């Protein structure tokens, strides 16, 4: 059950919007059936196109790895958005996974080091892939394949890196949230954020959000240290927070096995877009008639909930590719976002929580709105956990 819960990155919308194997990712990655990088053909063809179209040959950066080796620690972290020691631990893990071909036959293979660093550069910057390919001195098609391999590998370790709190970890997270603003029993904060994307190939208007740009939604639950404990990604940008929650596995599990996920009456907190449930506590809707105690409750609630907004800001500030995904394949978009979530947790585990990387604008790019206990699929007769919490914090 735990694996099912953690691996809840929505796949059902993908078939409706881009199962197409004719987009750029599939075209470029399928050009070599034995995946031997096909460097000879592409290195001959792409410069010829450049010469015909622009009258000059592409300029590539030769031996960029040597340049990267020469970066001091601060330069390395600035370019690749994580510390050198963390990057090279990931390179060792990637090599050990067997995800990168290294058999001796055929042409020279792209190393795990170059593969990981190229992918980090892609995720950390907004450069066009053509520029990145030139920087790392490989063809565009090989760059696609390298990124896809590393992204697939990062998705394969999601169970190890994004975990729902269990056992002793529950008490530690609960205490961490209580230390923030005194709210007892909280083990997570939930919110959603838009990831701007290129117009999907199919059902495009489903992905057009209320701010009139195309997006997919990342729903995240984080602990008190901004670590993701559950992620859902891939739902169309037009959906409301409460709708995304209702369609997620975490909602189904919580409704069916509440004691399994929220033992001892534990709960998570969310903004006013979410319904009040036995295991989910939003603030009181401010209709102008709230008492001073209710207003104080909302303030403490909001101050505690900021941890999830800060997590989104750090995620997008570190991995700037999430400002806009220029591909049309929804499945690949989703995998890229989830890869960033995995790397986010790894960085926090390694103590990399640099505030300078937080993007304040993107931190607030959540889905706004209001909901109540009568939202679709929600039982209005459930115990009002919010009122119970309010009475605990403000006894009469």
């Amino acid at each position: 059950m735990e694996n099912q819960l953690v691996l809840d990155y929505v796949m059902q919308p993908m078939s409706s919007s881009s199962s197409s194997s004719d987009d750029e990712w599939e075209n470029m990655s399928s050009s070599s059936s034995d995946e031997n990088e096909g460097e000879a053909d592409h290195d001959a063809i792409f410069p010829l196109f450049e010469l015909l179209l622009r009258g000059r040959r592409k300029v590539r950066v030769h031996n960029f790895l040597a340049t990267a080796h020469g970066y001091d620690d601060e330069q390395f972290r600035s370019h690749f958005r994580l510390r050198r020691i963390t990057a090279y631990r990931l390179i060792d893990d990637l090599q050990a996974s067997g995800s990168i071909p290294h058999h001796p036959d055929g042409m020279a293979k792209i190393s795990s080091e170059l593969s990981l660093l190229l992918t980090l550069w892609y995720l950390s910057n907004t450069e066009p892939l053509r520029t990145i390919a030139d920087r790392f001195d490989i063809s565009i098609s090989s760059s696609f394949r390298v990124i896809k391999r590393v992204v697939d590998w990062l998705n394969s370790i999601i169970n190890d890196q994004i975990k729902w709190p269990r056992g002793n970890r529950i008490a530690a997270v609960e205490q961490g949230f209580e230390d923030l603003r005194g709210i007892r029993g909280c083990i997570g904060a939930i919110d959603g954020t838009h990831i701007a994307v290129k117009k999907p190939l199919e059902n495009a208007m489903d992905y057009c959000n209320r701010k009139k740009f195309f997006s997919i939604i990342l729903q995240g639950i984080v602990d008190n240290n901004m670590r993701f404990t559950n992620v859902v990604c891939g739902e169309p940008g037009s959906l409301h927070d409460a709708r995304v929650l209702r369609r997620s596995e975490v909602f189904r599990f919580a409704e069916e096995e509440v004691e399994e996920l929220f033992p001892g009456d534990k709960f998570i907190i969310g903004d006013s877009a979410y319904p009040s449930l036995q295991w989910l506590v939003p603030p009181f809707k401010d209709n102008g008639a709230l008492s001073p105690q209710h207003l104080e409750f909302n303030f403490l609630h909001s101050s505690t909930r900021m941890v999830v907004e800060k997590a989104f800001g750090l995620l997008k500030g570190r991995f700037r590719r999430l400002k806009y995904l220029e591909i049309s394949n929804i499945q690949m978009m989703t995998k890229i976002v989830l890869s960033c979530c995995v790397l986010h947790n790894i960085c926090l585990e390694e103590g990399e929580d640099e505030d300078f990387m937080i993007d304040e604008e993107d931190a607030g790019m959540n889905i706004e709105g209001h909901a109540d206990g009568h939202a679709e699929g929600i039982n209005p007769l459930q115990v009002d956990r919010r009122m119970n919490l309010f009475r605990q914090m403000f006894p009469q």
Side-chain angles (χ1 to χ4, degrees):
M1 190 275 290
E2 181 180 354
N3 287 353
Q4 289 177 291
L5 173 63
V6 176
L7 285 171
D8 185 24
Y9 45 94
V10 180
M11 289 299 184
Q12 57 266 34
M14 296 173 187
S15 61
S16 66
S17 86
S18 182
S19 59
S20 62
S21 59
D22 61 345
D23 74 357
E24 63 269 47
W25 283 90
E26 297 299 333
N27 274 342
M28 303 303 287
S29 61
S30 64
S31 60
S32 174
S33 59
D34 59 358
E35 292 208 326
N36 65 356
E37 309 308 339
E39 294 291 343
D41 292 339
H42 293 301
D43 284 352
I45 294 173
F46 281 105
L48 179 59
F49 281 150
E50 287 289 317
L51 187 63
L52 292 174
L53 294 175
R54 300 187 181 182
R56 59 184 176 84
R57 187 181 179 85
K58 289 195 303 181
V59 177
R60 286 184 170 180
V61 178
H62 295 288
N63 200 11
F64 180 69
L65 282 183
T67 302
H69 294 160
Y71 288 152
D72 62 33
D73 289 343
E74 184 60 30
Q75 289 174 320
F76 188 95
R77 185 171 59 115
S78 176
H79 286 299
F80 295 101
R81 311 305 276 178
L82 60 154
R83 296 172 187 167
R84 191 190 304 270
I85 189 172
T86 304
Y88 278 85
R89 182 177 69 79
L90 288 171
I91 289 169
D92 290 342
D93 292 344
L94 176 61
Q95 177 69 24
S97 73
S99 299
I100 304 300
H102 57 274
H103 53 82
D105 301 326
M107 300 187 64
K109 301 300 181 290
I110 297 175
S111 68
S112 295
E113 180 185 22
L114 188 144
S115 297
L116 195 283
L117 294 182
L118 184 150
T119 303
L120 288 177
W121 193 282
Y122 172 78
L123 297 176
S124 303
N125 297 279
T126 57
E127 286 183 354
L129 192 65
R130 179 179 298 277
T131 304
I132 296 175
D134 290 347
R135 181 183 300 279
F136 285 84
D137 197 17
I138 63 175
S139 67
I140 299 175
S141 60
S142 293
S143 299
F144 272 116
R145 286 196 296 274
V146 163
I147 293 169
K148 186 177 185 303
R149 285 171 181 159
V150 176
V151 163
D152 285 343
W153 171 68
L154 288 169
N155 275 257
S156 75
I157 63 173
I158 194 170
N159 285 347
D160 299 323
Q161 300 300 331
I162 301 180
K163 301 178 182 180
W164 191 260
R166 304 277 182 179
N168 295 334
R169 181 65 186 156
I170 294 177
V173 172
E174 179 184 6
Q175 186 61 53
F177 274 109
E178 184 177 348
D179 291 343
L180 294 177
R181 286 292 182 175
I183 296 180
R184 297 180 180 178
C186 179
I187 61 170
I190 185 172
D191 203 355
T193 188
H194 289 285
I195 307 294
V197 301
K198 183 180 178 181
K199 182 179 179 179
L201 298 177
E202 298 179 16
N203 302 320
M205 293 313 298
D206 290 343
Y207 293 85
C208 186
N209 60 48
R210 66 178 190 83
K211 294 185 178 180
K212 307 304 181 185
F213 65 88
F214 297 101
S215 66
I216 57 175
I217 294 172
L218 169 63
Q219 175 185 280
I221 302 175
V222 304
D223 65 14
N224 57 297
N225 291 316
M226 298 187 293
R227 292 187 183 92
F228 289 109
T229 58
N230 179 260
V231 289
V232 174
C233 186
E235 291 283 16
S238 62
L239 294 187
H240 185 277
D241 262 358
R243 176 71 169 168
V244 175
L245 172 65
R246 194 186 71 83
R247 286 163 59 95
S248 68
E249 285 298 306
V250 70
F251 178 86
R252 183 176 66 82
F253 279 124
E255 292 294 284
E256 296 176 358
E257 303 287 346
V258 63
E259 189 62 25
E260 177 72 18
L261 293 185
F262 302 97
D265 214 21
K266 301 297 187 293
F267 58 89
I268 59 177
I269 58 175
D271 62 23
S272 58
Y274 293 101
S276 180
L277 302 173
Q278 180 181 353
W279 48 271
L280 174 55
V281 176
F284 291 100
K285 186 175 180 180
D286 190 356
N287 54 12
L290 293 181
S291 69
Q293 290 82 6
H294 285 90
L295 292 174
E296 178 67 11
F297 175 92
N298 280 2
F299 171 76
L300 297 175
H301 184 286
S302 176
S303 300
T304 304
R305 194 180 69 246
M306 284 178 62
V307 66
V308 66
E309 297 179 5
K310 189 176 181 182
F312 284 143
L314 181 57
L315 177 73
K316 293 182 177 181
R318 188 189 299 275
F319 302 112
R320 291 169 288 188
R321 182 66 56 177
L322 299 186
K323 290 178 178 292
Y324 178 73
L325 292 176
E326 75 290 355
I327 58 178
S328 300
N329 186 300
I330 300 296
Q331 184 173 16
M332 193 62 195
M333 293 177 194
T334 301
K335 287 185 175 182
I336 288 173
V337 175
L338 291 171
S339 296
C340 292
C341 293
V342 169
L343 290 170
H344 169 92
N345 275 17
I346 290 173
C347 289
L348 292 181
E349 189 67 28
E350 297 293 328
E352 300 191 32
D353 57 351
E354 291 82 3
D355 287 343
F356 80 91
M357 290 186 179
I358 294 180
D359 191 313
E360 298 294 345
E361 179 180 353
D362 283 329
M365 219 169 101
N366 60 336
I367 308 110
E368 300 172 4
H370 298 279
D372 55 35
H374 297 274
E376 182 181 358
I378 294 169
N379 182 2
L381 300 180
Q382 291 190 96
V383 175
D384 192 339
R385 188 65 181 85
R386 178 174 59 186
M387 280 306 302
N388 289 346
L389 178 62
F390 175 78
R391 294 188 184 107
Q392 291 171 11
M393 296 175 65
F394 300 94
Q396 298 299 325

